[in-house]
Amino acid sequence: MATINANFLKLKAGYLFPEIGRRVKAYTEANPDKAARIIRCGIGDVTEALPPAIVKAMHEGVDELAHRETFHGYGPEQGYEFLRQAIVDNQFADLGISADEVFISDGSKCDTGNILDIFGKGNTIAITDPVYPVYVDTNVMAGNTGDADAKGAYEGLLYLPCNAENGFVADVPTEKADLIYLCFPNNPTGSVATRAQLEAWVAYAKANDAIILFDAAYEAFIQDPEIPHSIFEIEGAKDCCIEFRSFSKNGGFTGVRCAYVVIPKTVTGKTETGERIPLHQLWSRRHSTKFNGASYPVQKAAAAVFSEEGKAQVNELIEHYMGNAKLLIEAATAAGLQVFGGKNAPYVWVGCPKGLSSWDMFDKMLQEAQVVITPGSGFGSAGEGYFRISAFNSRANVEEVCNRLKALIA
Amino acid sequence: MATINANFLKLKAGYLFPEIGRRVKAYTEANPDKAARIIRCGIGDVTEALPPAIVKAMHEGVDELAHRETFHGYGPEQGYEFLRQAIVDNQFADLGISADEVFISDGSKCDTGNILDIFGKGNTIAITDPVYPVYVDTNVMAGNTGDADAKGAYEGLLYLPCNAENGFVADVPTEKADLIYLCFPNNPTGSVATRAQLEAWVAYAKANDAIILFDAAYEAFIQDPEIPHSIFEIEGAKDCCIEFRSFSKNGGFTGVRCAYVVIPKTVTGKTETGERIPLHQLWSRRHSTKFNGASYPVQKAAAAVFSEEGKAQVNELIEHYMGNAKLLIEAATAAGLQVFGGKNAPYVWVGCPKGLSSWDMFDKMLQEAQVVITPGSGFGSAGEGYFRISAFNSRANVEEVCNRLKALIA
């Protein structure tokens, strides 16, 4: 008798975004005349065209495959040297990271989920609340939790509350954790951690022999020069941190698919008997056994993000989205709502009007303004009472959303 | 203290292909004058250019991303409907498979490895010997085995011996297994299973409430009209089988990356308490939580495999490689070696000259003929005494390999 992984049965019905999709579909089916009015600011998906330098490089990659002499079959599982080196030179210069500490993949969702393969059972997992749901759900699937309670909190996870009081940056806990997920700039709240806050986290990890899983998918949106882009800017991080990066939100690769993980060779975990094993060695083995490299034309396209033209064009994209974020902040503020984030991140995190829950506000925005937002409670119980607006949109759409939001709340 | 997954430490040093790469590198560094003479028939990687219809479709996909109006961000995690439907129409017509039972991914190596996420612990895993190493290594990583013995066989796995006597098609065992990996046309031996043999396997699975993980990555190479291409051609298979398919070896996508899994909604596993759960539901959840869809231009390219032009061009590729296989069979036979496979598969499986082990033959071929083959023992202890020659090459290279092989053994 083949048994299944019953941990899957602990998962709450539907990942957040499918549930949003379901409600939008139900609304448009019931109100077909309103369908064309809908503006989506829900899923954090980019909307603008791929920059020309990236398009050109991807075409060139495809053309290479069209000729026997320049054909590429299986590439190195860890990614092509040209891309790994470009990443180090452009993103980690002077941080002491080498190209063979960078592992190219087809997406950060995969990486942040798959990373659990290399860890043992029985680790205490700390996550912020609210949080990107993938961190939680993959731990549930891996059997690192018990059941969920009525509020959706899983037994065995150490939740780190983020709220208006701490500026949506979790404080270092008094409890001991073994694996800690941190995401800065934060999804969903748009908050960023200062150097001092990250130093406290690295010190905590070192003191507890813990590993920080640092998700920096949104680092390109940081505007404040004082805010670190990488956890490896912090002294000691190379002993206890793994960093996840993506081309999704800077280069606009959500449909192209490319990301990477940085694992310094000095980061170790322990066996039950206390032997220290480099995580780099484990991930390298995992990657070469369960992955076959990212698509060649995609890797060519990713490398073009670091060309002179590519950098300029990506910067334009970032400026565009951050201009949107500024308008959204102004509109939500003008509507009398409490606003966080959106200054170093493409997400604006807004308190719901008094008396409305997150899903109430979702339904209200959908039904009365035809704007799709993300309910804060979908990211964890501490997100209740908030909603996330994504700045990924055209300027015209954002201006329209601002007008509708002000009209709705006024 | 963060603990690691110590199951990784049970893995034998190096996955087969990295070890081959290491030996080739060492040889060429020691003999730089011979480097240009080396012909690689080791890794089963395609060598010919991507067919024009596929190149065209991929360019079109890239161009869509270059304009806001036709841009695609995140796609459905399970793949675009246009591709899922094309697969069903072209590969599973009349087999009762629906498009929503097809899950698009970025590779079969990922799929065959990741599938273990949805199964419980304690299942008895049956694998053939010799076998594609990924099936074994991913089970080791998942904790489904004990340690390896001196011959590299892992405690707890049920090995199904394949040898000259059974034509390298495993017999149904007398023991009870819960998950069975079958690969036809077979990698590495090039053997195929008859309808009657597959019927026996499906009957076994049904009798034991087991699941067959059927890897059909090489189905396009089947020449004999009597040999089933899909396990779902067998009555009852939709109750107990999952099928893996890939665009790597038909369309030449080893560097492009696209594959898929077919999970009929009628296939179930059990919880410890005996509740039946559809595997489709579990994989769907796994896929949407830990994967973010295959690259859009890649999916466009994959769909072009099923266009009229694409089909004709893919057929030409298959004919080219199968023409190579025919030459290799003739040459190895002429050299007095025992030859298997190569008639419905791109792999020729050859007995080593008397007295030579698989790695002896590997070293001899590398050092004396500058031809890279794959040692049979790298696929399991029952592969000892054999080697695999891949037919993936240019005609000129294959002719040269045939000449060198005959000269070496004569």
Side-chain angles (χ1 to χ4, degrees), chain B residues 122-152:
Chain B
N123 285 312
T124 299
I125 315 288
I127 58 148
T128 61
D129 180 13
V131 73
Y132 177 49
V134 168
Y135 309 155
V136 176
D137 290 357
T138 53
N139 272 290
V140 175
M141 291 174 174
N144 292 338
T145 75
D147 287 320
D149 65 16
K151 281 178 144 178

PDB file of all heavy atoms in Angstrom, chain B residues 122-152:
ATOM      1  N   GLY B 122       8.196   5.105   4.843  1.00  0.00           N
ATOM      2  CA  GLY B 122       7.923   3.689   5.110  1.00  0.00           C
ATOM      3  C   GLY B 122       7.464   2.913   3.901  1.00  0.00           C
ATOM      4  O   GLY B 122       7.234   1.697   3.993  1.00  0.00           O
ATOM      5  N   ASN B 123       7.299   3.576   2.766  1.00  0.00           N
ATOM      6  CA  ASN B 123       6.965   2.829   1.550  1.00  0.00           C
ATOM      7  C   ASN B 123       8.166   1.983   1.112  1.00  0.00           C
ATOM      8  O   ASN B 123       9.311   2.414   1.225  1.00  0.00           O
ATOM      9  CB  ASN B 123       6.601   3.796   0.418  1.00  0.00           C
ATOM     10  CG  ASN B 123       5.224   4.400   0.602  1.00  0.00           C
ATOM     11  OD1 ASN B 123       4.261   3.690   0.873  1.00  0.00           O
ATOM     12  ND2 ASN B 123       5.124   5.722   0.469  1.00  0.00           N
ATOM     13  N   THR B 124       7.875   0.793   0.600  1.00  0.00           N
ATOM     14  CA  THR B 124       8.936  -0.015  -0.005  1.00  0.00           C
ATOM     15  C   THR B 124       9.106   0.436  -1.450  1.00  0.00           C
ATOM     16  O   THR B 124       8.149   0.457  -2.225  1.00  0.00           O
ATOM     17  CB  THR B 124       8.581  -1.508   0.036  1.00  0.00           C
ATOM     18  OG1 THR B 124       8.449  -1.899   1.409  1.00  0.00           O
ATOM     19  CG2 THR B 124       9.663  -2.354  -0.634  1.00  0.00           C
ATOM     20  N   ILE B 125      10.325   0.821  -1.776  1.00  0.00           N
ATOM     21  CA  ILE B 125      10.622   1.406  -3.088  1.00  0.00           C
ATOM     22  C   ILE B 125      11.312   0.350  -3.946  1.00  0.00           C
ATOM     23  O   ILE B 125      12.349  -0.194  -3.546  1.00  0.00           O
ATOM     24  CB  ILE B 125      11.573   2.608  -2.943  1.00  0.00           C
ATOM     25  CG1 ILE B 125      11.159   3.538  -1.797  1.00  0.00           C
ATOM     26  CG2 ILE B 125      11.728   3.337  -4.276  1.00  0.00           C
ATOM     27  CD1 ILE B 125       9.940   4.351  -2.017  1.00  0.00           C
ATOM     28  N   ALA B 126      10.741   0.071  -5.102  1.00  0.00           N
ATOM     29  CA  ALA B 126      11.373  -0.875  -6.030  1.00  0.00           C
ATOM     30  C   ALA B 126      12.000  -0.119  -7.181  1.00  0.00           C
ATOM     31  O   ALA B 126      11.360   0.742  -7.781  1.00  0.00           O
ATOM     32  CB  ALA B 126      10.342  -1.860  -6.559  1.00  0.00           C
ATOM     33  N   ILE B 127      13.254  -0.440  -7.446  1.00  0.00           N
ATOM     34  CA  ILE B 127      13.920   0.141  -8.620  1.00  0.00           C
ATOM     35  C   ILE B 127      14.613  -0.972  -9.380  1.00  0.00           C
ATOM     36  O   ILE B 127      14.999  -1.988  -8.812  1.00  0.00           O
ATOM     37  CB  ILE B 127      14.948   1.218  -8.241  1.00  0.00           C
ATOM     38  CG1 ILE B 127      16.007   0.624  -7.316  1.00  0.00           C
ATOM     39  CG2 ILE B 127      14.318   2.436  -7.630  1.00  0.00           C
ATOM     40  CD1 ILE B 127      17.337   1.256  -7.502  1.00  0.00           C
ATOM     41  N   THR B 128      14.748  -0.752 -10.675  1.00  0.00           N
ATOM     42  CA  THR B 128      15.475  -1.727 -11.476  1.00  0.00           C
ATOM     43  C   THR B 128      16.964  -1.523 -11.253  1.00  0.00           C
ATOM     44  O   THR B 128      17.406  -0.479 -10.782  1.00  0.00           O
ATOM     45  CB  THR B 128      15.152  -1.543 -12.966  1.00  0.00           C
ATOM     46  OG1 THR B 128      15.561  -0.241 -13.362  1.00  0.00           O
ATOM     47  CG2 THR B 128      13.659  -1.721 -13.229  1.00  0.00           C
ATOM     48  N   ASP B 129      17.731  -2.556 -11.566  1.00  0.00           N
ATOM     49  CA  ASP B 129      19.188  -2.478 -11.485  1.00  0.00           C
ATOM     50  C   ASP B 129      19.723  -3.112 -12.761  1.00  0.00           C
ATOM     51  O   ASP B 129      19.507  -4.304 -12.961  1.00  0.00           O
ATOM     52  CB  ASP B 129      19.682  -3.223 -10.240  1.00  0.00           C
ATOM     53  CG  ASP B 129      21.192  -3.174 -10.094  1.00  0.00           C
ATOM     54  OD1 ASP B 129      21.835  -2.368 -10.807  1.00  0.00           O
ATOM     55  OD2 ASP B 129      21.729  -3.938  -9.279  1.00  0.00           O
ATOM     56  N   PRO B 130      20.395  -2.317 -13.636  1.00  0.00           N
ATOM     57  CA  PRO B 130      20.780  -0.905 -13.538  1.00  0.00           C
ATOM     58  C   PRO B 130      19.606   0.062 -13.626  1.00  0.00           C
ATOM     59  O   PRO B 130      18.536  -0.311 -14.087  1.00  0.00           O
ATOM     60  CB  PRO B 130      21.720  -0.732 -14.737  1.00  0.00           C
ATOM     61  CG  PRO B 130      21.272  -1.752 -15.729  1.00  0.00           C
ATOM     62  CD  PRO B 130      20.837  -2.931 -14.903  1.00  0.00           C
ATOM     63  N   VAL B 131      19.880   1.301 -13.201  1.00  0.00           N
ATOM     64  CA  VAL B 131      18.815   2.305 -13.109  1.00  0.00           C
ATOM     65  C   VAL B 131      19.386   3.712 -13.287  1.00  0.00           C
ATOM     66  O   VAL B 131      20.566   3.948 -13.018  1.00  0.00           O
ATOM     67  CB  VAL B 131      18.102   2.170 -11.743  1.00  0.00           C
ATOM     68  CG1 VAL B 131      18.990   2.702 -10.622  1.00  0.00           C
ATOM     69  CG2 VAL B 131      16.753   2.865 -11.729  1.00  0.00           C
ATOM     70  N   TYR B 132      18.525   4.623 -13.725  1.00  0.00           N
ATOM     71  CA  TYR B 132      18.854   6.058 -13.758  1.00  0.00           C
ATOM     72  C   TYR B 132      19.125   6.498 -12.323  1.00  0.00           C
ATOM     73  O   TYR B 132      18.246   6.361 -11.457  1.00  0.00           O
ATOM     74  CB  TYR B 132      17.640   6.785 -14.350  1.00  0.00           C
ATOM     75  CG  TYR B 132      17.686   8.291 -14.426  1.00  0.00           C
ATOM     76  CD1 TYR B 132      18.776   8.966 -14.960  1.00  0.00           C
ATOM     77  CD2 TYR B 132      16.592   9.050 -14.013  1.00  0.00           C
ATOM     78  CE1 TYR B 132      18.782  10.360 -15.057  1.00  0.00           C
ATOM     79  CE2 TYR B 132      16.585  10.435 -14.116  1.00  0.00           C
ATOM     80  CZ  TYR B 132      17.686  11.082 -14.631  1.00  0.00           C
ATOM     81  OH  TYR B 132      17.671  12.458 -14.726  1.00  0.00           O
ATOM     82  N   PRO B 133      20.326   6.981 -12.010  1.00  0.00           N
ATOM     83  CA  PRO B 133      20.707   7.203 -10.605  1.00  0.00           C
ATOM     84  C   PRO B 133      19.814   8.159  -9.819  1.00  0.00           C
ATOM     85  O   PRO B 133      19.768   8.079  -8.591  1.00  0.00           O
ATOM     86  CB  PRO B 133      22.130   7.776 -10.720  1.00  0.00           C
ATOM     87  CG  PRO B 133      22.622   7.401 -12.072  1.00  0.00           C
ATOM     88  CD  PRO B 133      21.416   7.292 -12.951  1.00  0.00           C
ATOM     89  N   VAL B 134      19.129   9.042 -10.506  1.00  0.00           N
ATOM     90  CA  VAL B 134      18.302  10.033  -9.807  1.00  0.00           C
ATOM     91  C   VAL B 134      17.219   9.362  -8.960  1.00  0.00           C
ATOM     92  O   VAL B 134      16.914   9.817  -7.854  1.00  0.00           O
ATOM     93  CB  VAL B 134      17.683  11.027 -10.821  1.00  0.00           C
ATOM     94  CG1 VAL B 134      16.594  11.879 -10.180  1.00  0.00           C
ATOM     95  CG2 VAL B 134      18.780  11.923 -11.402  1.00  0.00           C
ATOM     96  N   TYR B 135      16.639   8.256  -9.463  1.00  0.00           N
ATOM     97  CA  TYR B 135      15.593   7.578  -8.673  1.00  0.00           C
ATOM     98  C   TYR B 135      16.148   7.133  -7.318  1.00  0.00           C
ATOM     99  O   TYR B 135      15.492   7.249  -6.286  1.00  0.00           O
ATOM    100  CB  TYR B 135      15.061   6.328  -9.382  1.00  0.00           C
ATOM    101  CG  TYR B 135      14.612   6.469 -10.806  1.00  0.00           C
ATOM    102  CD1 TYR B 135      14.631   5.350 -11.643  1.00  0.00           C
ATOM    103  CD2 TYR B 135      14.163   7.672 -11.333  1.00  0.00           C
ATOM    104  CE1 TYR B 135      14.216   5.432 -12.966  1.00  0.00           C
ATOM    105  CE2 TYR B 135      13.756   7.765 -12.652  1.00  0.00           C
ATOM    106  CZ  TYR B 135      13.790   6.639 -13.468  1.00  0.00           C
ATOM    107  OH  TYR B 135      13.397   6.719 -14.778  1.00  0.00           O
ATOM    108  N   VAL B 136      17.349   6.589  -7.354  1.00  0.00           N
ATOM    109  CA  VAL B 136      17.953   6.075  -6.122  1.00  0.00           C
ATOM    110  C   VAL B 136      18.353   7.225  -5.205  1.00  0.00           C
ATOM    111  O   VAL B 136      17.972   7.264  -4.034  1.00  0.00           O
ATOM    112  CB  VAL B 136      19.197   5.222  -6.451  1.00  0.00           C
ATOM    113  CG1 VAL B 136      19.884   4.776  -5.154  1.00  0.00           C
ATOM    114  CG2 VAL B 136      18.801   4.018  -7.293  1.00  0.00           C
ATOM    115  N   ASP B 137      19.109   8.158  -5.756  1.00  0.00           N
ATOM    116  CA  ASP B 137      19.671   9.215  -4.915  1.00  0.00           C
ATOM    117  C   ASP B 137      18.588  10.062  -4.240  1.00  0.00           C
ATOM    118  O   ASP B 137      18.746  10.488  -3.100  1.00  0.00           O
ATOM    119  CB  ASP B 137      20.608  10.110  -5.744  1.00  0.00           C
ATOM    120  CG  ASP B 137      21.897   9.378  -6.144  1.00  0.00           C
ATOM    121  OD1 ASP B 137      22.072   8.221  -5.726  1.00  0.00           O
ATOM    122  OD2 ASP B 137      22.714   9.965  -6.873  1.00  0.00           O
ATOM    123  N   THR B 138      17.495  10.308  -4.950  1.00  0.00           N
ATOM    124  CA  THR B 138      16.437  11.121  -4.337  1.00  0.00           C
ATOM    125  C   THR B 138      15.744  10.348  -3.214  1.00  0.00           C
ATOM    126  O   THR B 138      15.300  10.944  -2.238  1.00  0.00           O
ATOM    127  CB  THR B 138      15.411  11.596  -5.385  1.00  0.00           C
ATOM    128  OG1 THR B 138      14.914  10.473  -6.117  1.00  0.00           O
ATOM    129  CG2 THR B 138      16.051  12.566  -6.353  1.00  0.00           C
ATOM    130  N   ASN B 139      15.679   9.032  -3.330  1.00  0.00           N
ATOM    131  CA  ASN B 139      15.130   8.239  -2.229  1.00  0.00           C
ATOM    132  C   ASN B 139      16.069   8.207  -1.031  1.00  0.00           C
ATOM    133  O   ASN B 139      15.615   8.203   0.110  1.00  0.00           O
ATOM    134  CB  ASN B 139      14.805   6.813  -2.702  1.00  0.00           C
ATOM    135  CG  ASN B 139      13.399   6.736  -3.280  1.00  0.00           C
ATOM    136  OD1 ASN B 139      12.419   6.837  -2.546  1.00  0.00           O
ATOM    137  ND2 ASN B 139      13.306   6.607  -4.596  1.00  0.00           N
ATOM    138  N   VAL B 140      17.358   8.185  -1.318  1.00  0.00           N
ATOM    139  CA  VAL B 140      18.327   8.250  -0.218  1.00  0.00           C
ATOM    140  C   VAL B 140      18.162   9.580   0.527  1.00  0.00           C
ATOM    141  O   VAL B 140      18.037   9.616   1.755  1.00  0.00           O
ATOM    142  CB  VAL B 140      19.769   8.094  -0.751  1.00  0.00           C
ATOM    143  CG1 VAL B 140      20.781   8.275   0.388  1.00  0.00           C
ATOM    144  CG2 VAL B 140      19.957   6.732  -1.418  1.00  0.00           C
ATOM    145  N   MET B 141      18.127  10.666  -0.235  1.00  0.00           N
ATOM    146  CA  MET B 141      17.966  12.002   0.365  1.00  0.00           C
ATOM    147  C   MET B 141      16.680  12.111   1.178  1.00  0.00           C
ATOM    148  O   MET B 141      16.642  12.789   2.199  1.00  0.00           O
ATOM    149  CB  MET B 141      17.913  13.061  -0.736  1.00  0.00           C
ATOM    150  CG  MET B 141      19.213  13.276  -1.458  1.00  0.00           C
ATOM    151  SD  MET B 141      18.914  14.414  -2.841  1.00  0.00           S
ATOM    152  CE  MET B 141      20.585  14.660  -3.424  1.00  0.00           C
ATOM    153  N   ALA B 142      15.632  11.451   0.699  1.00  0.00           N
ATOM    154  CA  ALA B 142      14.336  11.542   1.370  1.00  0.00           C
ATOM    155  C   ALA B 142      14.259  10.633   2.603  1.00  0.00           C
ATOM    156  O   ALA B 142      13.249  10.629   3.305  1.00  0.00           O
ATOM    157  CB  ALA B 142      13.217  11.195   0.392  1.00  0.00           C
ATOM    158  N   GLY B 143      15.312   9.869   2.838  1.00  0.00           N
ATOM    159  CA  GLY B 143      15.309   9.009   4.022  1.00  0.00           C
ATOM    160  C   GLY B 143      14.581   7.699   3.812  1.00  0.00           C
ATOM    161  O   GLY B 143      14.208   7.029   4.782  1.00  0.00           O
ATOM    162  N   ASN B 144      14.384   7.316   2.573  1.00  0.00           N
ATOM    163  CA  ASN B 144      13.673   6.064   2.288  1.00  0.00           C
ATOM    164  C   ASN B 144      14.588   4.843   2.224  1.00  0.00           C
ATOM    165  O   ASN B 144      14.142   3.766   1.843  1.00  0.00           O
ATOM    166  CB  ASN B 144      12.914   6.183   0.957  1.00  0.00           C
ATOM    167  CG  ASN B 144      11.761   7.166   1.058  1.00  0.00           C
ATOM    168  OD1 ASN B 144      11.266   7.446   2.147  1.00  0.00           O
ATOM    169  ND2 ASN B 144      11.335   7.703  -0.073  1.00  0.00           N
ATOM    170  N   THR B 145      15.855   5.031   2.567  1.00  0.00           N
ATOM    171  CA  THR B 145      16.804   3.909   2.530  1.00  0.00           C
ATOM    172  C   THR B 145      17.668   3.920   3.779  1.00  0.00           C
ATOM    173  O   THR B 145      17.708   4.909   4.518  1.00  0.00           O
ATOM    174  CB  THR B 145      17.775   4.034   1.331  1.00  0.00           C
ATOM    175  OG1 THR B 145      18.744   5.064   1.629  1.00  0.00           O
ATOM    176  CG2 THR B 145      17.053   4.396   0.036  1.00  0.00           C
ATOM    177  N   GLY B 146      18.386   2.817   3.955  1.00  0.00           N
ATOM    178  CA  GLY B 146      19.466   2.794   4.941  1.00  0.00           C
ATOM    179  C   GLY B 146      20.770   3.150   4.259  1.00  0.00           C
ATOM    180  O   GLY B 146      20.773   3.887   3.269  1.00  0.00           O
ATOM    181  N   ASP B 147      21.851   2.606   4.777  1.00  0.00           N
ATOM    182  CA  ASP B 147      23.167   2.892   4.197  1.00  0.00           C
ATOM    183  C   ASP B 147      23.429   2.023   2.975  1.00  0.00           C
ATOM    184  O   ASP B 147      22.744   1.028   2.747  1.00  0.00           O
ATOM    185  CB  ASP B 147      24.251   2.633   5.257  1.00  0.00           C
ATOM    186  CG  ASP B 147      24.255   3.720   6.319  1.00  0.00           C
ATOM    187  OD1 ASP B 147      24.088   4.904   5.953  1.00  0.00           O
ATOM    188  OD2 ASP B 147      24.404   3.381   7.503  1.00  0.00           O
ATOM    189  N   ALA B 148      24.439   2.413   2.225  1.00  0.00           N
ATOM    190  CA  ALA B 148      24.852   1.626   1.060  1.00  0.00           C
ATOM    191  C   ALA B 148      25.848   0.555   1.504  1.00  0.00           C
ATOM    192  O   ALA B 148      26.622   0.765   2.439  1.00  0.00           O
ATOM    193  CB  ALA B 148      25.491   2.539   0.029  1.00  0.00           C
ATOM    194  N   ASP B 149      25.802  -0.586   0.822  1.00  0.00           N
ATOM    195  CA  ASP B 149      26.812  -1.604   1.105  1.00  0.00           C
ATOM    196  C   ASP B 149      28.031  -1.366   0.210  1.00  0.00           C
ATOM    197  O   ASP B 149      28.095  -0.364  -0.510  1.00  0.00           O
ATOM    198  CB  ASP B 149      26.225  -3.015   0.930  1.00  0.00           C
ATOM    199  CG  ASP B 149      25.828  -3.317  -0.508  1.00  0.00           C
ATOM    200  OD1 ASP B 149      26.260  -2.585  -1.436  1.00  0.00           O
ATOM    201  OD2 ASP B 149      25.061  -4.278  -0.717  1.00  0.00           O
ATOM    202  N   ALA B 150      28.979  -2.286   0.269  1.00  0.00           N
ATOM    203  CA  ALA B 150      30.234  -2.101  -0.461  1.00  0.00           C
ATOM    204  C   ALA B 150      30.008  -1.986  -1.965  1.00  0.00           C
ATOM    205  O   ALA B 150      30.761  -1.330  -2.673  1.00  0.00           O
ATOM    206  CB  ALA B 150      31.176  -3.268  -0.162  1.00  0.00           C
ATOM    207  N   LYS B 151      28.962  -2.640  -2.456  1.00  0.00           N
ATOM    208  CA  LYS B 151      28.671  -2.591  -3.888  1.00  0.00           C
ATOM    209  C   LYS B 151      27.834  -1.365  -4.272  1.00  0.00           C
ATOM    210  O   LYS B 151      27.477  -1.198  -5.431  1.00  0.00           O
ATOM    211  CB  LYS B 151      27.906  -3.847  -4.312  1.00  0.00           C
ATOM    212  CG  LYS B 151      28.786  -5.084  -4.492  1.00  0.00           C
ATOM    213  CD  LYS B 151      27.910  -6.273  -4.855  1.00  0.00           C
ATOM    214  CE  LYS B 151      28.592  -7.213  -5.831  1.00  0.00           C
ATOM    215  NZ  LYS B 151      27.733  -8.384  -6.122  1.00  0.00           N
ATOM    216  N   GLY B 152      27.448  -0.568  -3.294  1.00  0.00           N
ATOM    217  CA  GLY B 152      26.670   0.632  -3.594  1.00  0.00           C
ATOM    218  C   GLY B 152      25.164   0.414  -3.522  1.00  0.00           C
ATOM    219  O   GLY B 152      24.399   1.309  -3.863  1.00  0.00           O
TER     220      GLY B 152
END
